[in-house]
Amino acid sequence: MTGPVQVIVLGFDEPSFTGEVMAELTRLREAGVVRVVDVLLVSRDEDGTFETLPAPPGTDPDLGRIAADVVGNGDPDGSPADDSWSLADVVAPGSVAAVALVEHLWAQPLVEAIRDAGGRPLAEAWLSPEDRNGLPEQSG
Amino acid sequence: MRHAEAVARLVPKQLQMTGMTGSVPYYGGRLSPAQAYAASHPAAPPPPMAAPPPRSPTPPPPRRDPVAALDELLESGVITEAEHQELRDRLAT
């Protein structure tokens, strides 16, 4: 594991795992941009409990095992620390979500360069689509 | 909603919040979920200082056998034979 790994949680009305998304992620992987470490499907019952869902047909039956180890195996009686989060904070009861671990291969050299320059992170966020629309095209 | 094909229960783990370039101390200008939880669940006040343990009381002197005490009083002439007998009768009751 070399690059920063992002946890992306996506909500669905029903379990979904489209081939289009995987095809695009495969293309990015081949381009050395990102690597999908694992994808896990979970459901949350109305009582708040989580259950993992089986891997979609045609995929590796072990799909989701790594992600389940990362985001699961928690302490049911534990209280969150100041700088922590969990699936319980973002997945509403009675819904289904996909949890993707995505390694940003492109970012590792950048992170090392920032560290070598003595930089320290103060904030990170994604621009909203509205703010992105305000950017000049082909900037940079 | 329960999904019949669910395979295993999962207990969410608390994950440390961090950015791509490292730990970002500020969470988008809002309270993080953990901070919100802490704000709505104030810690219990610390217990008052514990009182010092009570001093162990001085053990009472061993109780003397009353019959022996009466005998001693009789021998020393403090009480008469009749008084001695009367007091022994009281002890017996």
Side-chain angles (χ1 to χ4, degrees):
Chain A
M1 196 71 65
T2 56
V5 176
Q6 184 177 21
V7 184
I8 302 174
V9 185
L10 303 171
F12 294 93
D13 293 332
E14 290 294 331
S16 177
F17 204 67
T18 68
E20 293 177 16
V21 174
M22 287 307 294
E24 176 60 15
L25 290 172
T26 300
R27 186 187 71 77
L28 293 173
R29 171 70 181 98
E30 292 171 348
V33 178
V34 298
R35 178 175 77 96
V36 177
V37 179
D38 201 10
V39 177
L40 170 70
L41 298 178
V42 299
S43 67
R44 190 174 193 191
D45 292 333
E46 295 290 352
D47 65 3
T49 59
F50 280 87
E51 289 174 325
T52 62
L53 299 176
T59 60
D60 184 348
D62 284 338
L63 192 73
R65 187 164 295 178
I66 297 173
D69 284 342
V70 171
V71 300
N73 298 323
D75 178 4
D77 299 322
S79 58
D82 285 345
D83 57 348
S84 70
W85 68 281
S86 77
L87 289 184
D89 297 322
V90 296
V91 180
S95 64
V96 175
V99 182
L101 302 182
V102 179
E103 179 186 7
H104 289 263
L105 301 170
W106 61 270
Q108 182 61 20
L110 173 62
V111 171
E112 290 177 355
I114 293 172
R115 186 185 309 135
D116 292 346
R120 58 190 171 86
L122 296 179
E124 276 189 18
W126 298 88
L127 282 181
S128 68
E130 293 76 15
D131 288 335
R132 289 208 314 264
N133 288 337
L135 296 177
E137 293 202 10
Q138 297 182 350
S139 62
Chain B
M1 174 170 62
R2 177 168 290 277
H3 298 270
E5 66 273 25
V7 293
R9 185 168 180 190
L10 181 139
V11 178
K13 181 195 300 177
Q14 293 294 321
L15 301 173
Q16 186 182 7
M17 223 173 271
T18 185
M20 181 177 289
T21 54
S23 293
V24 178
Y26 199 54
Y27 187 69
R30 296 170 302 187
L31 290 178
S32 70
Q35 289 167 331
Y37 178 91
S40 60
H41 296 77
M49 290 187 63
R55 297 176 61 184
S56 58
T58 305
R63 190 166 181 178
R64 200 172 171 195
D65 178 16
V67 175
L70 286 177
D71 292 343
E72 193 174 304
L73 291 174
L74 175 64
E75 291 170 4
S76 60
V78 176
I79 58 176
T80 64
E81 185 71 40
E83 290 170 334
H84 177 265
Q85 188 58 48
E86 181 186 346
L87 293 172
R88 284 206 62 162
D89 292 341
R90 284 190 192 174
L91 287 174
T93 59

